[in-house]
Amino acid sequence: MPLVNMKEMLQHAYENGYAVGAFDLINHDFLEGILDAAEACSAPVILSLAESHFDYFDFEQLMPAVEKAARSASVPVAIHLDHGESLESAIKAINCGCNGVMVDASHTPLEDNIQMTRNVVEMAHGCGVPVEGELGYVPGVEGEDAERHPGKVSYTTTEEARQFVETTGIDFLAVSIGTVHGRMRGEPKLDLERLREINQALRLPLVIHGGTGLSDDQYRRLIENGVVKINYYTALADAAGAAIRDSVAATESNGYTQLTRGVRTAVSREAERCIRLWGSAGRAAEVLSHCTPWLPVEHLIIYNVNGLDDEGAKAMMAKGRDVLAGIPGVLEVATGSAVKTDAAYRYTWLVQFCHPAVIDSYRDHPDHVAFADQLFRPVAGERISIDYEWIV
Ligand code: 13P
């Protein structure tokens, strides 16, 4: 059950002066290693999936496993889309189970970044899902050498940050103050004074990208100045790679399982080191009591049709499955017919929403309105419609 509301999770971190690790995962070894670390430390954790990594795994295939693992954890977990590339990516991520999203338009001019981020906020808030926006540019690529991607840091300014937050309505702000994605030579120089000023002006949970490679003291100073989410990937990937190298050296075998056996533990050790350093260890119980569990709503309709035979009803339902599944916040659309032919109601829609907010946004969504008005309501005579929340 401990998939929890991410906004409340990070608000708790903000109020209590610690940061939650947002660890990018690319496969089951990373998923298990990150959760092992969070469990070992009794810490809240964010499972992050970066769109820039979607070449390495099938997002839609991996998400059910991520969600199942999150729901089975004893510690509070959130699932986040990292560096989404479009509004469509954010909708897909929410409909696959993410309960926090970021669409990164930080490389575009301010007005375009504001417009894109505002569109994402409008959609995601209609699903109850919080949004991270980024302002200023953090160069580099996760998992690669920073000098191979030498883009210039563009620092976040307090004035633009204020405007960005006010006009977009984001829940968390990722700032650029000198970190770089990927492997760096030496320690990056951070503009902590800038961070302090942004934090004082906004009083909004702040996010750092490019978490790999900072000193213990730098992490401490980030957290003192409002950073509550630290994105971290390259050091996990390097720990995993080193474990594979050790296995290659230690065995004659070319077997995949022999060579990758140490990866889960290596990822877990590095994640655990960060969790302890960033102050989230031991916080699981208080975060759980502070956060609303993230549970779906079942939108149930049972109905009979007038003026359509069984084939016609099935065709109408097929169209509905197709159209309704694309509405933001819809996790699943299933249709059915009663097993017993004398049932009081012959057909059903079982639509699963990610959050109670979707009850309203789904009802008013133009695709739902068009389908319901043109294809469903004219033939659905008697019907019962109820939204259920899960009891766990
Ligand atoms: P690193 O790969 O530098 O740790 O950065 C990760 C990140 O910022 C993901 O968004």
Side-chain angles (χ1 to χ4, degrees):
M1 191 273 283
L3 187 55
V4 299
N5 182 302
M6 183 168 146
K7 184 169 171 136
E8 293 169 356
M9 176 197 268
L10 291 183
Q11 195 58 38
H12 185 270
Y14 193 74
E15 283 160 17
N16 291 277
Y18 66 92
V20 179
F23 299 105
D24 281 320
L25 62 92
I26 50 155
N27 63 21
H28 270 87
D29 279 332
F30 277 60
L31 171 62
E32 290 167 333
I34 294 162
L35 286 174
D36 287 348
E39 294 278 2
C41 299
S42 294
V45 73
I46 296 172
L47 301 171
S48 204
L49 295 102
E51 187 160 358
S52 51
H53 290 160
F54 286 7
D55 284 348
Y56 307 144
F57 61 90
D58 184 320
F59 177 68
E60 286 180 59
Q61 297 281 344
L62 188 57
M63 272 303 291
V66 173
E67 187 178 344
K68 176 115 171 94
R71 288 203 186 281
S72 309
S74 71
V75 294
V77 182
I79 307 174
H80 186 65
L81 171 71
D82 188 22
H83 293 294
E85 290 167 10
S86 62
L87 177 65
E88 292 68 36
S89 305
I91 295 172
K92 184 169 163 185
I94 291 171
N95 290 11
C96 284
C98 286
N99 67 345
V101 290
M102 176 213 197
V103 170
D104 183 1
S106 62
H107 53 287
T108 66
L110 179 63
E111 284 312 314
D112 296 355
N113 190 358
I114 287 176
Q115 191 53 54
M116 166 65 92
T117 307
R118 200 174 15 203
N119 292 344
V120 174
V121 168
E122 196 184 328
M123 179 281 296
H125 283 184
C127 302
V129 171
V131 176
E132 173 185 330
E134 180 167 324
L135 184 65
Y137 182 63
V138 177
V141 174
E142 301 89 346
E144 300 195 11
D145 292 335
E147 55 270 30
R148 286 185 51 215
H149 303 275
K152 221 169 122 31
V153 179
S154 160
Y155 289 88
T156 309
T157 70
T158 305
E159 245 347 281
E160 284 186 353
R162 207 194 303 265
Q163 183 195 355
F164 187 67
V165 169
E166 275 168 14
T167 51
T168 59
I170 52 166
D171 303 278
F172 327 115
L173 177 69
V175 290
S176 174
I177 55 145
T179 57
V180 167
H181 293 108
R183 233 166 272 116
M184 280 191 78
R185 286 217 198 96
E187 215 176 78
K189 289 198 178 25
L190 303 185
D191 189 343
L192 292 161
E193 185 47 35
R194 180 184 295 270
L195 180 66
R196 197 181 61 78
E197 203 186 289
I198 294 170
N199 183 37
Q200 284 189 347
L202 300 184
R203 293 286 163 209
L204 187 82
L206 301 177
V207 178
I208 281 292
H209 284 249
T212 293
L214 307 187
S215 69
D216 292 5
D217 189 53
Q218 284 178 319
Y219 290 123
R220 193 178 53 73
R221 307 275 300 273
L222 291 176
I223 294 165
E224 272 171 13
N225 288 293
V227 169
V228 294
K229 173 175 178 280
I230 300 180
N231 286 19
Y232 202 78
Y233 170 70
T234 302
L236 298 185
D238 285 353
I244 293 171
R245 280 189 192 283
D246 288 349
S247 301
V248 169
T251 173
E252 295 285 289
S253 166
N254 280 332
Y256 178 82
T257 48
Q258 278 89 341
L259 297 182
T260 57
R261 183 168 286 158
V263 168
R264 174 174 174 173
T265 308
V267 168
S268 171
R269 277 208 196 107
E270 179 57 17
E272 182 168 341
R273 186 185 73 80
C274 295
I275 288 170
R276 295 197 186 282
L277 196 56
W278 300 340
S280 55
R283 300 275 187 176
E286 53 188 297
V287 173
L288 273 178
S289 65
H290 170 85
C291 293
T292 314
W294 187 263
L295 294 170
V297 166
E298 307 286 351
H299 176 67
L300 168 78
I301 301 175
I302 50 175
Y303 64 103
N304 290 317
V305 296
N306 302 322
L308 271 189
D309 61 12
D310 204 47
E311 284 313 303
K314 283 183 180 153
M316 180 269 291
M317 286 188 271
K319 175 79 181 154
R321 286 195 301 273
D322 198 35
V323 169
L324 303 174
I327 295 177
V330 172
L331 299 174
E332 205 170 308
V333 184
T335 47
S337 60
V339 175
K340 293 203 171 154
T341 48
D342 61 351
Y345 293 92
R346 174 110 191 92
Y347 299 111
T348 184
W349 292 101
L350 299 157
V351 186
Q352 193 177 67
F353 298 153
C354 70
H355 185 274
V358 183
I359 295 170
D360 290 343
S361 59
Y362 172 87
R363 184 197 56 227
D364 299 338
H365 192 281
D367 290 348
H368 172 257
V369 172
F371 174 74
D373 285 352
Q374 289 160 26
L375 294 179
F376 180 61
R377 288 185 187 127
V379 298
E382 311 143 71
R383 61 181 184 272
I384 295 177
S385 171
I386 306 179
D387 298 302
Y388 288 95
E389 31 179 40
W390 279 16
I391 296 172
V392 289

